[in-house]
Amino acid sequence: MALLTLKDVGKIYVSDGNVSVGIRGVNLSFDRGEFVAVTGKSGSGKSTLLNVISGMDSYEEGELYIEGQPTSHYMQYDWEQYRKEYISFIFQDYNIIESFTVLQNVELSLMHISDKKERRKRALELLDRVGMTSHIKHKGSKLSGGQKQRTVIARALAKDSPIILADEPTGNLDSATSKEIIELLREVSKDKLLIVVTHNFEQVEQCATRHIRVFDGAIESDHVISHVEAVKETASQEKLSKSEKRRGSGDIRNGIALGRAIFGATPKLSFFFCMLMIIGALGIFLVTSLCASASEIFEKSYMFERIDGRVIITTRDGSVISSEDAKKLADDFGADSYLRYDVLLDEEYANRAKISLGGGRYDFIDIRCTYNEDFGDDIIGRYPKKDGEVFLYLPISQQDNFGKDAIETDKIQLNNVEVEVVGIKYFYDNNLDAKCLLTEKGFDTITAMYYLCVRSYPNITLYGNSDKNMGNRNMILSSYDLEDSKIFIPDISKNNGVSSVSIDASYQKYDYYGSIDHSNDVFSVQKIFGEEYFSDGKLKINTYGEPSSSIIVMSPDLVREIAFEVLEKSYRQMSLFYENNEEASEAAKKLYDAGYIAVTSEATYEPDAFEIIVGLISGIMMAFLWVMAIIFLAFFIGLCSSRTLGAFKGDMAIMRSMGIPVRSIKVGMYVRMLMALIPAYICVCAAAYLIFTSPSANEHFVYLYAWHYAVIFVGMLLLTVRITRKQVKKLFDTSVKKSLKGGAAE
Ligand code: ADP
Ligand code: MG
C-alpha cells in the first residue's frame, strides 16, 4: 500500500469573484524512500500541491489517501493530528520562530517527548546531524539563511514524520549552500518520503529519485529517475493511536510549557506585557481605593457611641440620678458595670489628645477615651495600672509620633490632664477609631476636666493676704505628678503674697440629647483653696507652648471634687453596660417599664433621608466610575496588546504548520499572559504593604479589606482572560496558510 495517494484531486481558489485553478485532476502515488522533485513555471500549482498534501489547504475534488485511509471527511482537528503525525514542512523563507533559540525551535517539535532531559538530548542529536551544534543558543533572528534552513531541517526531523515537504527550500540561498542543504535533506530522509518543489532542477538532479513536472495545475510528466527499494513501514500508525489517547492532558501540559517558552523567548514583549498589567493592576487598585473611601458615606451614624451592650438612661421628669441611685439601678437591673458621667463616650470634642511633636510644637489627635477594654496581648509596653497612666490604641500613622517599640515616658494631655503613656498598640485599619484606655478613676478625671475646662469657663482669682487681688489665671491644668489635694502655681511662690485661690465654675444644664437647655437653671460652685493646698515642690509640666503665667495646675482629686459637685446636681444621664445587645435591649425595656427613658446605643441610629439619598447617589456613581475605569483599562490594555499580535501571528502559523495542536497554542497564549500578571499581583501586594504599613502613607489612603483585594485580583484575572481571548480569536481567524508568508502565491 502506498504511503500517500492522490486521486483526481482538484483545488480551486475563489477570491473576489475570480476563480483560479490551483491544481486539477492530480493522480499521484508516493512511497517512503522517494525523493521527488517537483518543477514547473511560477503559478503552475506546485505550492498548491504541497499545501494540499500537507493538509494546510483543503481540496474540493477527488480524494487524498494516507496509508490507504481517505481524508475528505477530515475536520480541523483531524488535519491537525494528520500534520502532527505525518508532515514536516520546509519553506522557502525558513519559517523559523525568530524569537526562539535554535534549540528551542527544535525542542518545540519534540513536545511529544514528555521527559525534559530526553527531549534535550534528542534535540542536541538532531542539531548535530544538521551541523548546528555550535549555534544552539543563537536566536533564530541571528542566523544566516543556510543556518535557518538547517535548523528547520532538524526541526522537521525532530518530528520523525514519514513525509517531508519542502517548498523551494533553497530559493533564497546561494548555489553552494543550496547544494549542501539538498544533500543534507537527502541524507537525513533516506527512509522518508521527501517532496521538494524547486525551480532549479539541476540542483536536485543528483539526489532525486523521481521528477514531476507541473503545468497549469495538472501533472505534465512523472519520471522515475532511479528505483527506490521499498522501505518498511514505521510504527507511525501505532504511534498515532497512542498519542491520540493522551491528547487532552498532553496538549495542556505542552501548552503550559509553550507559554513559558514564549514568555522567556520574547523578553521585551513580556516586559511590555508585565508593565501593561502593572499599570492595569495599580489602576484598579487606585480606583478601588477611591471608591472605598467614597463609600464611607454609607456608614451608619449613631447618636450615641455604639458600644455593644450599652444602655443610656435618663429620668422622665428630668430629675438628676444621684450616684447612689446609679449604683442601685445597676444592681437592680443586672448590669455588668455602669458609668455615671458618660459624656466622654459620646462627645467628639471631649475626645482629643494634645500631643507634643517636640520643639514646642503640638498636635491634636481624635481619640476615644475608654476604660474596661481589652486590646489583647500583643501590645507594646503594658496596660495602665495607675490613674495617671494610659494605653493608646493608635493608627500606624501615629508611629512617627510615639515610636516603634519602647515607651519612653511619653506624656499626652487629655482635656488638659497630663497623663503618661505606658502602652501602645498600633493598628493598620485606618477606618477604626483611635482609643485611649484609662483606669476607671482616670476616666473620671478626664470627664471632670472636660466639664471644668471646656463646658465651664472657670474664673480663677489669686488673692493675697487681706483679700488683695493678685491677678487672674485663665486656665486649669491637671497632673498626676502633683500630690493629692495640691495646687501648683507657676511663676508665683506663696512668699510673693498669694494666700488663697478662688475658683468659680458654672455649667449650663444639658438636656437628654446633649444640647444646652437654656430654659433651666445654671449650676455653679465657688471653691477657695488656702495656702495649705499649695504645692511647694517643683512641677515639670509640659504645657506645649502655653504660657505658664496664665495657668494653675491642680491635682486630679481636686478637679474631680469641683466638677462632680456640680455634675451630681446637674448631669441627668448615665450608661449601663451588659454582656451583649440582646441583654441590653431587654434591660432597656424593663427600665422603660420602671419609669425611665432607656435606649440602647444600637437603637439610636437615625437614618437621615437626605443623607441616604446623597449616599445612594454617590454610591451608584462610584460603582459606575469603578466599572468605567475597568472598561477603560480593559480597552487600553487590549489596544496595546493587540498591536503586538502581528509579530506573533507568523510564529503561531509556523507552530500550527508544525502540527502543534491549536489547543496547546491557545493554552500557551493564556499562560504567557497570566505569567505577565504575576508581577502585577506582586506590585499590588507591595503597594498595599507599603501604603498600609508605612506610617506616613497609612493616613492618606483608605484601608482596603481582604475582599477589596479579592475584587482587584479577580478583576485583573478576568481582564487578562478576556484580552487573551480576544487575541486568540484574532489569531485563529486567519487560516494557517494565509498567515504563513511563503505559503501561498499572492
Ligand atoms: P506555484 O507555487 O507553482 O507558483 P501556486 O500553487 O502558488 O503556484 O498557485 C497556483 C495557482 O493558484 C495560481 O494561479 C495562483 O494564482 C492560484 N492561487 C494560489 N493561492 C491562491 C489563493 N490563496 N487565492 C487565490 N488564488 C490562489
Ligand atoms: Mg509557489
Side-chain angles (χ1 to χ4, degrees):
M1 181 179 43
L3 173 63
L4 188 72
T5 307
L6 286 82
K7 223 176 208 161
D8 287 324
V9 172
K11 165 80 197 169
I12 292 160
Y13 289 108
V14 183
S15 58
D16 302 332
N18 290 323
V19 178
S20 58
V21 175
I23 47 171
R24 58 199 158 98
V26 172
N27 282 296
L28 289 169
S29 188
F30 301 100
D31 254 314
R32 285 183 172 80
E34 283 192 282
F35 183 140
V36 184
V38 179
T39 60
K41 280 196 300 187
S42 173
S44 56
K46 306 181 294 293
S47 295
T48 308
L49 180 64
L50 286 203
N51 289 336
V52 166
I53 292 175
S54 70
M56 284 194 284
D57 239 345
S58 58
Y59 56 92
E60 286 85 37
E61 292 166 15
E63 184 70 77
L64 173 83
Y65 295 92
I66 181 74
E67 294 186 294
Q69 302 296 315
T71 60
S72 53
H73 61 280
Y74 273 15
M75 305 302 282
Q76 189 204 21
Y77 181 76
D78 304 306
W79 283 119
E80 267 173 31
Q81 286 299 310
Y82 166 81
R83 279 202 295 273
K84 193 167 149 189
E85 288 305 316
Y86 290 100
I87 307 292
S88 295
F89 213 115
I90 297 165
F91 295 93
Q92 178 175 346
D93 36 9
Y94 323 122
N95 282 341
I96 187 168
I97 297 177
E98 304 226 319
S99 55
F100 279 25
T101 62
V102 168
L103 189 61
Q104 280 177 320
N105 263 286
V106 177
E107 282 187 332
L108 196 58
S109 15
L110 289 169
M111 285 231 172
H112 54 274
I113 303 173
S114 48
D115 181 20
K116 267 192 191 165
K117 273 192 192 149
E118 181 63 32
R119 194 189 295 169
R120 173 70 38 107
K121 199 176 136 222
R122 181 99 183 93
L124 290 172
E125 268 170 31
L126 291 166
L127 283 165
D128 186 44
R129 250 178 106 183
V130 299
M132 286 292 290
T133 307
S134 52
H135 292 84
I136 51 169
K137 292 280 177 213
H138 287 59
K139 285 221 166 181
S141 53
K142 298 268 158 37
L143 301 175
S144 72
Q147 288 168 336
K148 282 184 188 174
Q149 214 59 307
R150 282 169 188 277
T151 307
V152 173
I153 292 169
R155 202 174 69 187
L157 292 176
K159 281 185 68 183
D160 201 24
S161 56
I163 302 172
I164 297 179
L165 306 173
D167 194 349
E168 311 217 22
T170 61
N172 292 341
L173 301 175
D174 60 61
S175 58
T177 317
S178 300
K179 226 172 143 233
E180 277 171 42
I181 293 294
I182 295 295
E183 271 162 19
L184 177 63
L185 268 175
R186 174 68 240 173
E187 190 194 311
V188 298
S189 62
K190 286 238 160 69
D191 56 344
K192 297 174 193 289
L193 167 60
L194 174 64
I195 306 179
V196 180
V197 165
T198 179
H199 54 269
N200 190 350
F201 182 62
E202 283 96 75
Q203 249 174 26
V204 299
E205 207 171 2
Q206 303 254 296
C207 310
T209 64
R210 184 172 168 186
H211 181 194
I212 294 173
R213 279 202 191 83
V214 186
F215 180 76
D216 212 4
I219 305 301
E220 189 188 21
S221 70
D222 183 359
H223 291 323
V224 172
I225 300 169
S226 63
H227 211 74
V228 180
E229 275 180 48
V231 177
K232 274 202 175 164
E233 268 182 42
T234 59
S236 73
Q237 271 297 350
E238 210 179 292
K239 258 168 40 194
L240 180 68
S241 52
K242 216 162 112 196
S243 77
E244 229 167 1
K245 260 184 231 152
R246 294 186 318 167
R247 83 186 188 210
S249 65
D251 283 358
I252 289 168
R253 212 183 45 233
N254 288 339
I256 293 170
L258 183 64
R260 281 166 46 192
I262 296 169
F263 188 85
T266 51
K268 277 185 200 154
L269 195 63
S270 300
F271 180 74
F272 172 74
F273 278 136
C274 288
M275 290 320 277
L276 216 56
M277 292 304 188
I278 288 172
I279 292 170
L282 292 183
I284 295 192
F285 180 72
L286 272 177
V287 172
T288 308
S289 165
L290 213 78
C291 292
S293 72
S295 70
E296 273 183 1
I297 293 169
F298 276 122
E299 272 182 17
K300 290 180 173 184
S301 51
Y302 292 86
M303 199 179 314
F304 295 102
E305 177 66 358
R306 241 204 88 232
I307 297 167
D308 284 336
R310 179 180 176 195
V311 178
I312 302 110
I313 17 174
T314 184
T315 53
R316 251 175 229 186
D317 58 4
S319 62
V320 172
I321 306 167
S322 73
S323 291
E324 288 92 69
D325 292 347
K327 195 175 174 340
K328 198 168 172 296
L329 270 172
D331 284 346
D332 291 353
F333 291 89
D336 296 341
S337 63
Y338 73 98
L339 187 60
R340 174 71 187 91
Y341 307 124
D342 60 359
V343 67
L344 287 194
L345 294 184
D346 302 303
E347 199 153 335
E348 285 300 331
Y349 197 74
N351 290 287
R352 312 192 91 186
K354 191 176 184 182
I355 60 167
S356 168
L357 299 176
R361 291 176 311 127
Y362 60 90
D363 198 5
F364 285 101
I365 48 177
D366 287 328
I367 195 158
R368 229 153 247 295
C369 292
T370 73
Y371 69 99
N372 253 349
E373 210 168 321
D374 192 14
F375 296 93
D377 290 332
D378 57 334
I379 57 168
I380 304 164
R382 56 173 176 83
Y383 287 117
K385 286 179 196 149
K386 290 192 269 176
D387 299 338
E389 295 175 340
V390 292
F391 170 89
L392 301 178
Y393 180 61
L394 295 171
I396 188 70
S397 55
Q398 287 296 336
Q399 195 178 281
D400 286 348
N401 294 328
F402 289 94
K404 215 174 252 175
D405 20 60
I407 305 298
E408 304 123 8
T409 54
D410 265 316
K411 291 212 168 178
I412 62 167
Q413 276 185 16
L414 292 163
N415 295 330
N416 287 3
V417 186
E418 197 168 66
V419 289
E420 191 178 329
V421 179
V422 295
I424 293 184
K425 180 172 181 167
Y426 293 113
F427 59 85
Y428 294 103
D429 181 351
N430 54 26
N431 298 311
L432 300 176
D433 285 336
K435 283 183 178 174
C436 172
L437 179 72
L438 298 130
T439 62
E440 208 170 324
K441 218 177 197 174
F443 187 92
D444 281 347
T445 307
I446 310 300
T447 309
M449 274 298 267
Y450 172 66
Y451 269 91
L452 200 56
C453 298
V454 180
R455 284 285 178 99
S456 157
Y457 297 94
N459 285 322
I460 307 155
T461 317
L462 309 183
Y463 293 101
N465 289 324
S466 68
D467 280 3
K468 188 171 166 244
N469 191 322
M470 304 288 287
N472 291 306
R473 302 253 157 152
N474 55 27
M475 195 170 187
I476 299 173
L477 255 56
S478 183
S479 170
Y480 281 93
D481 288 346
L482 206 56
E483 261 177 85
D484 271 357
S485 304
K486 289 287 180 195
I487 296 175
F488 177 75
I489 307 165
D491 288 355
I492 297 177
S493 71
K494 62 177 179 177
N495 300 331
N496 266 350
V498 177
S499 60
S500 65
V501 175
S502 151
I503 295 168
D504 289 280
S506 53
Y507 325 124
Q508 268 90 20
K509 197 181 113 186
Y510 289 80
D511 68 9
Y512 172 70
Y513 291 110
S515 52
I516 298 169
D517 186 348
H518 294 287
S519 64
N520 272 300
D521 41 352
V522 168
F523 294 92
S524 62
V525 292
Q526 186 188 48
K527 288 268 172 184
I528 296 171
F529 300 98
E531 280 185 51
E532 66 274 24
Y533 285 93
F534 293 178
S535 164
D536 46 11
K538 283 222 156 54
L539 184 66
K540 198 183 163 297
I541 184 136
N542 190 351
T543 57
Y544 306 140
E546 305 293 346
S548 55
S549 58
S550 66
I551 63 171
I552 63 163
V553 185
M554 294 174 73
S555 63
D557 64 323
L558 287 186
V559 168
R560 288 197 301 266
E561 189 189 318
I562 303 175
F564 290 167
E565 192 173 310
V566 183
L567 283 174
E568 187 67 33
K569 288 189 227 153
S570 63
Y571 196 75
R572 286 150 207 260
Q573 181 192 307
M574 71 172 291
S575 287
L576 296 176
F577 301 99
Y578 293 87
E579 183 76 26
N580 51 43
N581 286 333
E582 285 81 65
E583 277 186 33
S585 58
E586 252 172 58
K589 256 180 237 148
K590 280 184 201 151
L591 281 155
Y592 192 86
D593 293 341
Y596 293 92
I597 296 171
V599 284
T600 60
S601 58
E602 194 69 19
T604 62
Y605 167 61
E606 265 197 332
D608 174 329
F610 180 71
E611 208 177 88
I612 287 176
I613 290 167
V614 169
L616 213 64
I617 289 172
S618 63
I620 289 167
M621 271 170 64
M622 281 302 141
F624 182 71
L625 177 83
W626 196 85
V627 171
M628 288 308 287
I630 302 297
I631 289 174
F632 174 78
L633 278 172
F635 181 74
F636 172 74
I637 296 177
L639 197 74
C640 291
S641 68
S642 74
R643 294 265 156 135
T644 66
L645 277 187
F648 193 65
K649 226 166 186 169
D651 290 353
M652 197 213 54
I654 294 168
M655 289 177 202
R656 278 175 80 183
S657 76
M658 284 165 60
I660 295 180
V662 170
R663 196 152 134 177
S664 293
I665 301 173
K666 282 181 180 171
V667 170
M669 298 281 290
Y670 280 102
V671 168
R672 190 259 296 263
M673 288 303 267
L674 291 174
M675 278 174 80
L677 198 57
I678 294 170
Y681 278 0
I682 293 171
C683 270
V684 169
C685 293
Y689 182 79
L690 269 178
I691 288 172
F692 302 122
T693 59
S694 136
S696 46
N698 185 275
E699 61 184 321
H700 300 297
F701 288 86
V702 185
Y703 190 83
L704 298 183
Y705 297 105
W707 74 268
H708 287 117
Y709 289 103
V711 166
I712 293 169
F713 277 42
V714 170
M716 276 311 288
L717 197 69
L718 291 178
L719 209 83
T720 309
V721 168
R722 205 194 125 72
I723 289 163
T724 317
R725 225 174 74 184
K726 260 189 155 170
Q727 285 183 351
V728 166
K729 197 168 168 285
K730 255 195 183 163
L731 279 178
F732 288 85
D733 265 355
T734 29
S735 72
V736 188
K737 206 196 67 180
K738 253 197 193 151
S739 331
L740 281 175
K741 301 154 218 160
E746 269 156 321

